[in-house]
Amino acid sequence: MIQYLQNNVAVIQAALSQHVFLALVPVLIGIVVSLPIGYLAVRFGFLYHPLLNLSGILYAVPSIALIVLVPTIVGIQILSPLNIIIALSVYTIALLVRVVADGLKSVDPLVTEAASAMGYRRLRRLVSVELPISLPVMLAGLRVATVANVSLVSVGALIGVGGLGALFTRGQQLNYTPPIVVGIVLSVLLAAVCDGIIVLVQRRVTPWTRVAGRIAA
C-alpha cells in the first residue's frame, strides 16, 4: 500500500481533484436553480404538486441510465466531464426543489403576516424572513445532496469519467487492491469533509437553532 501511494501520488491527486470538481459544481448549479423553482412551487400553489412530482420522477431515474442518456439529449460526447456534471445537476435539482419548497412551507404564516404588517415587501420578506427561517431544513437537504454527489461521481468511472472511481476500475482490471482501498477511503473522507463544512456553515448562519436546542434540553 505504501509503495502504491508513493509511486502514484500524481495520479491520486488528479483523481481527487476531478472528483471534487465533478461532485461540487452540480451542487452549486442545483442551489442556484432549485431556489427559484422551490419558491415558485410555494408561491403558486397549483405548481406545488406538479413540480415536486416531476422532481421525484427525475430523482428516481437510475444514475447510469441518466449518464448514458444525457449525451444523446444534449449532443455531447459520452466521455465528456460535462456529461457527469449535467446528470448530477439534474439529481441535485430534483432533490433540492422539494427541500426548498418544504423549507419555505415550514415558515409559520403568522411570521410572514407580521413581516408584511411591518412593511416588508415580498422580496424583502423572502430574503430577510422566510429564507433564514427555512435554512435549517434547506441545509439538511443540501448535506444529503452533497454526500450523494460525492458517491455518485464514482459511477461515471463506468464510462471512463469518474474521479476516484477510476481507481476502483483500475484496481479491478488489474486485480490489485491498493487503488480500490485508496479510492474508497478518499471518497469517504471527502464526503465527511463536505458534510462537516456544511454543518459548520449551518451553525454559523443559524445560531438561534443552537439556543433553541439548549432551551429545549
Side-chain angles (χ1 to χ4, degrees):
M1 177 65 73
I2 300 299
Q3 184 177 2
Y4 172 78
L5 291 172
Q6 292 173 341
N7 295 337
N8 294 274
V9 172
V11 173
I12 295 171
Q13 288 178 341
L16 179 60
S17 298
Q18 185 184 41
H19 203 101
V20 171
F21 179 78
L22 294 176
L24 298 188
V25 169
V27 172
L28 297 177
I29 295 173
I31 293 172
V32 172
V33 175
S34 63
L35 280 173
I37 296 177
Y39 171 74
L40 290 175
V42 175
R43 175 73 178 82
F44 303 101
F46 66 92
L47 292 177
Y48 183 82
H49 291 293
L51 286 176
L52 265 62
N53 288 339
L54 177 60
S55 66
I57 292 171
L58 290 175
Y59 197 73
V61 176
S63 57
I64 189 63
L66 188 59
I67 291 172
V68 171
L69 283 174
V70 164
T72 303
I73 298 172
V74 181
I76 58 177
Q77 296 294 322
I78 193 169
L79 294 179
S80 171
L82 189 59
N83 182 11
I84 304 298
I85 291 175
I86 293 174
L88 293 187
S89 295
V90 170
Y91 275 118
T92 306
I93 294 168
L95 176 60
L96 291 184
V97 163
R98 177 177 292 274
V99 171
V100 171
D102 288 346
L104 291 174
K105 286 197 72 173
S106 70
V107 179
D108 191 332
L110 294 178
V111 174
T112 56
E113 290 174 7
S116 298
M118 293 173 63
Y120 281 59
R121 295 186 180 275
R122 182 173 292 119
L123 181 59
R124 185 185 176 194
R125 188 182 66 201
L126 173 66
V127 174
S128 302
V129 179
E130 296 175 45
L131 282 177
I133 293 176
S134 58
L135 268 179
V137 175
M138 294 183 186
L139 289 175
L142 182 62
R143 291 173 63 187
V144 175
T146 303
V147 172
N149 274 13
V150 172
S151 175
L152 286 172
V153 167
S154 299
V155 177
L158 297 176
I159 62 167
V161 183
L164 294 171
L167 300 181
F168 303 158
T169 56
R170 186 174 298 117
Q172 185 178 23
Q173 291 168 354
L174 299 175
N175 195 24
Y176 186 48
T177 303
I180 298 176
V181 174
V182 171
I184 292 174
V185 170
L186 289 179
S187 295
V188 172
L189 288 177
L190 178 58
V193 169
C194 291
D195 186 64
I197 290 173
I198 296 174
V199 169
L200 292 177
V201 170
Q202 180 174 350
R203 291 178 178 176
R204 179 78 175 182
V205 300
T206 59
W208 61 86
T209 57
R210 300 200 304 275
V211 175
R214 287 197 294 267
I215 293 175

